[in-house]
Amino acid sequence: MNMATTEQFDRTCVKISLDNLKSNYTNICKNVSEGCEVMVVVKANAYGHGAVKCARALREAGARSFCVATVDEAIELRDAGMNDRILILGFIDSNRIDDLIKYDINPAVYDKTFAKKLSEEAVRQGKTVDIHIKIDTGMSRIGFMADTTSVEDVVEICNYPGINSYGIFSHFASADTNDDEYTMQQFSKFSNFITALETKGVKFSMRHICNSAGIMRFPQMHLDGVRAGIILYGYLPQGCPQEEELKEKMKLRPAMTWLTRVIHVKEVDEGTTVSYGRHFKAPAKTKVATCAAGYADGLNRRLSNGFTVRVKDKDVKIIGNICMDMFMIDATELDDIKVGDVVSLVSEENDATYMADYLDTINYEITCGVSLRVEKFFIDNGRVIE
């Protein structure tokens, strides 16, 4: 089956272009400082795109460091045969320390109690764990505070037995806005903290602070590594300054296309109401086409009664409330619409940013929100792969 031509699927599916994904990675690599490693973020099922297939494709393109959010996400990659460096960016329960060591996973460390337990277990198993110290430079989420009160704690941790202080990182709060002054302050705090550690003999092989926006906008901050997230999947962070200039520079292409199909067509009289709550009333005789996707597939219910989808290269509106498994469109202007016709929810023409703008949210939420029950087809070298 070649999805590139036949569009065969059950009720709704996403097509993931691994070709676009690999091209995006290559273009990102071309735009980072010399000697800087592009770490690829495949957490949250690769932002809804499919972690294992995407990680394998990115490895084929040259990636050797992968970032996830949970122990189980890391183990999924290990079980799929991924033997490269894997960093968990966030919280890890101390009950999972044995798995960290067993699967050779790099944890983010921002708590002495956790670090002590990690050290004790590593020593017990006769192993050494590479860690990344997490510094809070202004996100106020997790991390040691970037001031002198934390320096001694970090030095102590980095000297624990069984611990190798491989990396240190922080995270920008507003690199995708015009608040560059705050970003500069964060970078300065991070740099000063690293300098303070170096004066006490603690050095790191991988210093990283740039997220997707930082990669594109602040090349002077690339350091040893950068973390490519949403730009890997073909999108700029929502509202990023210099949007058109960055699109041209990075040559990003969305990796995801989200499709459904028409499953029923009928004509209703003027005054007929559509869907739950009866919030749409036909203003005249109206052709209603029912489509096989709903909020249980990740199609946000706030798209009801107004959002446009594409059918036969035309934009048509959703009418009535989106249901759990179906939604309806006004197909009155589509003379030849029939059961089986393909409906585009997310495409290169109307991408995830288009849907996000309508919902007043971010493109990340759209791709991450696609339900696991939605079929996935992966396109590599123009063909569907297993």
Side-chain angles (χ1 to χ4, degrees):
M1 176 171 59
N2 189 338
M3 282 288 294
T5 57
T6 60
E7 307 290 13
Q8 296 296 314
F9 58 93
D10 181 9
R11 48 183 298 278
T12 181
C13 78
V14 289
K15 295 195 305 179
I16 307 300
S17 172
L18 300 178
D19 299 316
N20 285 358
L21 181 71
K22 289 185 284 188
S23 175
N24 292 339
Y25 172 79
T26 299
N27 289 332
I28 294 164
C29 290
K30 290 176 181 177
N31 283 279
V32 299
S33 303
E34 185 177 354
C36 176
E37 181 177 6
V38 176
M39 308 162 72
V40 295
V41 184
V42 292
K43 65 178 181 175
N45 199 28
Y47 291 40
H49 291 71
V52 170
K53 289 288 201 308
C54 287
R56 286 174 173 164
L58 290 165
R59 192 184 194 286
E60 181 183 322
R64 292 296 181 269
S65 292
F66 298 82
C67 302
V68 297
T70 70
V71 174
D72 290 325
E73 288 179 347
I75 292 175
E76 180 185 27
L77 297 185
R78 286 285 186 251
D79 287 345
M82 302 291 294
N83 295 318
D84 300 285
R85 188 176 294 278
I86 300 175
L87 165 64
I88 297 178
L89 295 167
F91 167 75
I92 304 164
D93 191 280
S94 59
N95 291 326
R96 304 303 302 273
I97 285 175
D98 183 60
D99 283 331
L100 286 177
I101 298 170
K102 175 183 177 181
Y103 288 95
D104 188 24
I105 300 165
N106 295 184
V109 172
Y110 54 91
D111 177 81
K112 278 184 67 177
T113 301
F114 175 84
K116 186 67 173 175
K117 291 179 180 179
L118 181 66
S119 168
E120 290 170 352
E121 183 60 24
V123 169
R124 191 187 72 79
Q125 295 190 28
K127 295 183 178 179
T128 299
V129 181
D130 288 351
I131 67 169
H132 291 239
I133 296 291
K134 179 63 187 290
I135 306 302
D136 180 5
T137 57
M139 186 76 164
S140 301
R141 191 166 57 178
I142 59 173
F144 290 102
M145 295 302 295
D147 55 38
T148 55
T149 62
S150 298
V151 171
E152 293 303 328
D153 285 341
V154 173
V155 171
E156 183 179 342
I157 289 169
C158 292
N159 283 294
Y160 283 165
I163 296 291
N164 177 44
S165 52
Y166 176 77
I168 186 168
F169 72 112
S170 190
H171 192 77
F172 287 138
S174 57
D176 54 355
T177 74
N178 285 312
D179 192 2
D180 291 356
E181 182 180 353
Y182 194 75
T183 300
M184 299 293 182
Q185 289 174 6
Q186 284 193 265
F187 185 71
S188 178
K189 288 180 180 180
F190 187 57
S191 300
N192 291 340
F193 195 86
I194 292 173
T195 299
L197 291 173
E198 288 177 344
T199 62
K200 294 182 177 294
V202 177
K203 294 186 178 181
F204 301 89
S205 298
M206 179 61 68
R207 303 161 301 157
H208 51 108
I209 191 171
C210 283
N211 53 7
S212 287
I215 291 171
M216 296 184 297
R217 301 190 61 230
F218 303 103
Q220 72 275 27
M221 303 180 188
H222 286 176
L223 302 176
D224 303 306
V226 294
R227 303 183 303 272
I230 194 67
I231 55 176
L232 271 179
Y233 307 100
Y235 292 100
L236 297 179
Q238 207 91 348
C240 197
Q242 299 93 42
E243 181 177 357
E244 293 305 317
E245 176 186 337
L246 291 174
K247 278 184 179 178
E248 177 62 27
K249 176 184 177 183
M250 303 300 291
K251 296 180 172 56
L252 303 176
R253 295 189 65 187
M256 178 185 288
T257 300
W258 188 4
L259 307 172
T260 184
R261 61 174 69 256
V262 174
I263 58 170
H264 189 61
V265 180
K266 64 162 65 77
E267 194 169 70
V268 301
D269 292 330
E270 178 182 350
T272 302
T273 56
V274 174
S275 196
Y276 292 114
R278 304 178 67 209
H279 295 298
F280 176 86
K281 181 181 290 187
K285 191 176 287 293
T286 301
K287 189 184 298 183
V288 178
T290 302
C291 306
Y295 58 78
D297 300 294
L299 192 64
N300 195 299
R301 197 168 178 270
R302 288 185 292 129
L303 297 168
S304 300
N305 244 341
F307 184 70
T308 58
V309 296
R310 289 185 71 81
V311 187
K312 297 182 178 294
D313 296 322
K314 291 185 178 179
D315 289 334
V316 296
K317 286 188 175 183
I318 293 175
I319 55 176
N321 282 335
I322 292 171
C323 309
M324 183 179 289
D325 313 299
M326 292 173 273
F327 68 93
M328 282 66 75
I329 57 175
D330 182 348
T332 306
E333 301 302 317
L334 301 176
D335 295 333
D336 57 346
I337 192 169
K338 61 186 182 301
V339 170
D341 282 345
V342 173
V343 180
S344 294
L345 304 174
V346 172
S347 62
E348 287 206 30
E349 294 82 9
N350 290 346
D351 62 16
T353 300
Y354 173 75
M355 186 180 287
D357 285 341
Y358 186 90
L359 292 169
D360 192 25
T361 185
I362 55 176
N363 40 36
Y364 305 65
E365 185 178 359
I366 303 304
T367 63
C368 288
V370 176
S371 169
L372 290 176
R373 80 174 187 177
V374 176
E375 292 181 85
K376 281 189 174 66
F377 296 91
F378 296 89
I379 315 299
D380 197 10
N381 294 318
R383 299 187 61 82
V384 174
I385 63 169
E386 295 296 328

